[in-house]
Amino acid sequence: MRSLNYTIAESAEAAVSRFAEANGAARYIAGGTTLYDLMKLGIEQPAHLIDISRIDGLDMIETEGDVLRFGGRALMADVARTPVVRDEYPILAESLLKAASQQLRNMATVGGNLLQRTRCLYFRNGAGSASAVGVYPCNKREPGSGCAAIGGLDRSQAVLGTSESCTAVAPGDWPVALTAMDAQLEFLGPVGTRSIPIADLYRLPGDTPHLEFNITPGELLTAITVRKTAAGRTSTYHKVRDRESYAFALASAAVAIEMDGDTVTSSRIALGGVATRPWRSEAAETVINGQPFSAELALRAGQAAFADARGGQHNAFKLELGARVIADALAIAAGRRA
């Protein structure tokens, strides 16, 4: 049994300071719903856990003013049932309510959800075992060892944003909705504070799939902000999965649109379950923007989103499924216009 240090941080600044003292061997923990799994699998092996779950203010949910603001340790369940989010931003509420189970949503934080790692079969099976790496090579676990999913069991893998090193899919729902809404993320780190668009958080796998996030060691996600917009009400998060609940997306679409009569004046379309990162589809947006809405147009937009997709042995169905998920999501959003 490995020894493990555990600290309860009283402030965000104290948490960052404690992380620095651990020389990179620490992890922040709030809900723990993904970190504990990774620790049990041997994928994450921190020597020090820094508990941020009791830091005052880090669980804020603010809906006044020009932006929605969520603290990094706000619970998924609490954000989803906030009246303004539920009634005026269904894209956000639905992405949370369609994730995990109610028990997990009562524990998991919105900040931790943004930083969860893939559910790739090969990434998770046998992690930490030298013999398993040889049988199931995974470049995320052991850089340069190979990717068993390429040419292997790839039904759940990505068809967009893949590389010769990795096809692991980004698992989240909430990050897809935030990508469609151009969310901003606020961090506190060893050199101070900074804010970045969510699009800058996630890295494509390229030749370094083990490097997943553009964050500095020790940086703590303190807040998520979403600019208020009329498109929030005319929005949806549509998710297709193997079973109706407690399952990751085979394909999903986060859509927010603005309309003038029957014409789509602007759109925001992001995809989940099909890419190596939350995937904003400008190709789909270009097809539908400025056009009178129709089911045929919506399907063309969906097909445009997958024009450059690459299917494998068992996941090529995602190209057609994903296109139709986008089309259905656009129809749902258009149906919510006043």
Side-chain angles (χ1 to χ4, degrees):
M1 180 179 295
R2 294 188 303 109
S3 62
L4 184 67
N5 292 321
Y6 173 77
T7 299
I8 298 173
E10 297 180 353
S11 68
E13 291 77 10
V16 171
S17 177
R18 288 285 185 156
F19 195 105
E21 293 171 3
N23 296 318
R27 291 292 183 271
Y28 296 124
I29 187 165
T33 56
T34 185
L35 180 59
Y36 286 141
D37 284 344
L38 295 174
M39 289 173 65
K40 286 185 286 187
L41 290 167
I43 297 170
E44 293 282 356
Q45 299 182 20
H48 194 157
L49 291 182
I50 301 170
D51 189 339
I52 62 170
S53 66
R54 306 182 198 185
I55 298 176
D56 288 339
L58 213 57
D59 60 346
M60 64 186 167
I61 300 174
E62 299 175 357
T63 59
E64 301 296 326
D66 297 331
V67 299
L68 304 171
R69 186 177 178 85
F70 312 112
R73 77 169 183 90
L75 299 181
M76 293 172 64
D78 290 345
V79 173
R81 62 177 170 239
T82 299
V84 170
V85 176
R86 180 193 64 213
D87 299 337
E88 299 182 26
Y89 296 87
I91 188 174
L92 301 179
E94 291 168 358
S95 72
L96 293 168
L97 292 172
K98 293 180 179 181
S101 65
Q102 183 63 52
Q103 292 90 336
L104 287 173
R105 295 194 296 270
N106 288 339
M107 286 289 295
T109 65
V110 292
N113 190 268
L114 290 180
L115 299 172
Q116 65 179 311
R117 303 187 71 184
T118 183
R119 260 64 184 179
C120 173
L121 173 69
Y122 298 101
F123 174 70
R124 290 182 169 251
N125 278 7
S129 167
S131 61
V133 170
V135 176
Y136 301 119
C138 173
N139 286 318
K140 281 186 178 292
R141 291 202 322 254
E142 186 174 302
S145 64
C147 175
I150 298 176
L153 299 175
D154 63 0
R155 181 174 182 270
S156 64
Q157 300 298 101
V159 296
L160 289 164
T162 61
S163 73
E164 297 304 315
S165 297
C166 185
T167 63
V169 76
D173 300 301
W174 170 244
V176 179
L178 291 177
T179 296
M181 296 300 289
D182 295 318
Q184 291 281 320
L185 309 179
E186 298 177 9
F187 290 89
L188 174 66
V191 297
T193 61
R194 69 178 180 124
S195 177
I196 63 170
I198 190 170
D200 290 349
L201 175 62
Y202 301 99
R203 299 171 59 120
L204 290 171
D207 295 327
T208 55
H210 61 293
L211 302 176
E212 298 173 341
F213 308 106
N214 288 312
I215 55 177
T216 301
E219 281 193 312
L220 176 64
L221 178 56
T222 56
I224 301 162
T225 62
V226 177
R227 183 175 59 85
K228 288 186 175 180
T229 170
R233 187 177 290 275
T234 319
S235 70
T236 191
Y237 181 74
H238 185 43
K239 178 178 179 179
V240 172
R241 44 195 160 171
D242 282 325
R243 56 183 184 271
E244 188 58 26
S245 66
Y246 198 44
F248 293 98
L250 291 172
S252 68
V255 168
I257 61 176
E258 295 186 57
M259 300 184 72
D260 182 4
D262 290 333
T263 299
V264 179
T265 56
S266 68
S267 63
R268 306 167 185 192
I269 301 171
L271 312 179
V274 295
T276 55
R277 52 171 288 168
W279 195 264
R280 183 75 176 264
S281 180
E282 294 180 359
E285 294 170 2
T286 297
V287 169
I288 203 164
N289 287 349
Q291 301 297 319
F293 181 82
S294 69
E296 293 78 13
L297 179 70
L299 183 56
R300 289 207 307 274
Q303 292 166 340
F306 288 87
D308 296 325
R310 296 191 303 171
Q313 291 191 91
H314 309 291
N315 66 356
F317 72 93
K318 287 191 176 188
L319 280 66
E320 178 70 16
L321 175 64
R324 293 187 177 276
V325 167
I326 291 174
D328 288 348
L330 285 166
I332 294 169
R336 289 176 171 169
R337 68 187 184 275

